Amino acid sequence: MTGDWRTDRIGAALRGRNPTVMRRLESGFAVIGDVQFLPGYSVLLADEPDVQRLSDLPRAKRLSFLSDMDQLGEAVERGCRRLDPDFRRVNLEILGNTDPFLHAHVWPRFEWEPAELVGKPVWLYPRDRWSDERFRLGPRHDVLRDAISSELDGLTHDLLTVSD
């Protein structure tokens, strides 16, 4: 997966050209992460490229973004639990220290992680995890991507049923 879509992830998603997009949600895009050293890592991208922080959004849109983050988190949790019996939990983070657009990280955590890292933030993993080819998103992650997408579909259906 290469190409200039990475330089404008949100714009590419809006144009239907971001290959990591799993689903369009109310406030943005659920995407599977470029790196998969923790399989199932996903990101919620706000659908407004110029928005840098949660507080830039009007309250209703903020709540929508947080709801979508919760929905993606639950989908990752369900999909990862189904595929890996060592799934532990999901961590949700809105950081914004590197990329200048609003996004939320959804990190699955597993029992098989190194003991010195399992209870710590993922940002303490060695730098090679972020660049090593063996952790790059690829076709071998299609089953995982499909599981998370399927869970998103189910959760969206459940939300529509409850609100009817």
Side-chain angles (χ1 to χ4, degrees):
M1 285 192 179
T2 60
D4 61 6
W5 65 269
R6 291 177 198 263
T7 62
D8 181 14
R9 292 172 185 273
I10 296 170
L14 289 166
R15 292 186 299 277
R17 299 232 166 116
N18 182 332
T20 63
V21 171
M22 293 184 286
R23 292 291 181 271
R24 175 73 156 102
L25 300 178
E26 187 175 330
S27 70
F29 299 91
V31 303
I32 191 160
D34 296 2
V35 296
Q36 291 292 310
F37 62 88
L38 292 172
Y41 167 56
S42 299
V43 179
L44 174 63
L45 300 174
D47 60 9
E48 297 182 39
D50 295 331
V51 170
Q52 294 186 8
R53 58 191 63 81
L54 191 60
S55 59
D56 289 344
L57 295 173
R59 179 148 316 271
K61 187 89 178 197
R62 255 185 243 180
L63 295 174
S64 176
F65 185 84
L66 292 171
S67 178
D68 285 349
M69 181 176 73
D70 169 64
Q71 186 178 347
L72 178 56
E74 187 171 351
V76 169
E77 179 178 329
R78 288 179 180 192
C80 288
R81 182 182 296 128
R82 183 165 22 116
L83 296 174
D84 189 335
D86 285 332
F87 171 80
R88 287 182 60 230
R89 65 179 308 112
V90 162
N91 294 151
L92 305 171
E93 302 174 321
I94 300 175
L95 300 171
N97 298 323
T98 303
D99 295 315
F101 50 85
L102 177 61
H103 61 287
H105 300 272
V106 179
W107 287 104
R109 303 304 299 262
F110 301 91
E111 295 294 340
W112 48 257
E113 291 180 62
E116 69 276 10
L117 293 171
V118 72
K120 303 255 180 7
V122 292
W123 310 107
L124 296 178
Y125 266 86
R127 296 297 315 151
D128 74 324
R129 295 298 198 278
W130 306 91
S131 57
D132 191 319
E133 275 299 313
R134 64 191 165 127
F135 300 117
R136 289 226 184 253
L137 178 64
R140 68 188 175 285
H141 299 106
D142 286 351
V143 169
L144 185 56
R145 180 185 186 130
D146 290 346
I148 296 168
S149 296
S150 173
E151 293 296 343
L152 279 169
D153 291 344
L155 289 167
T156 302
H157 178 267
D158 292 348
L159 286 173
L160 292 174
T161 304
V162 169
S163 63
D164 287 346

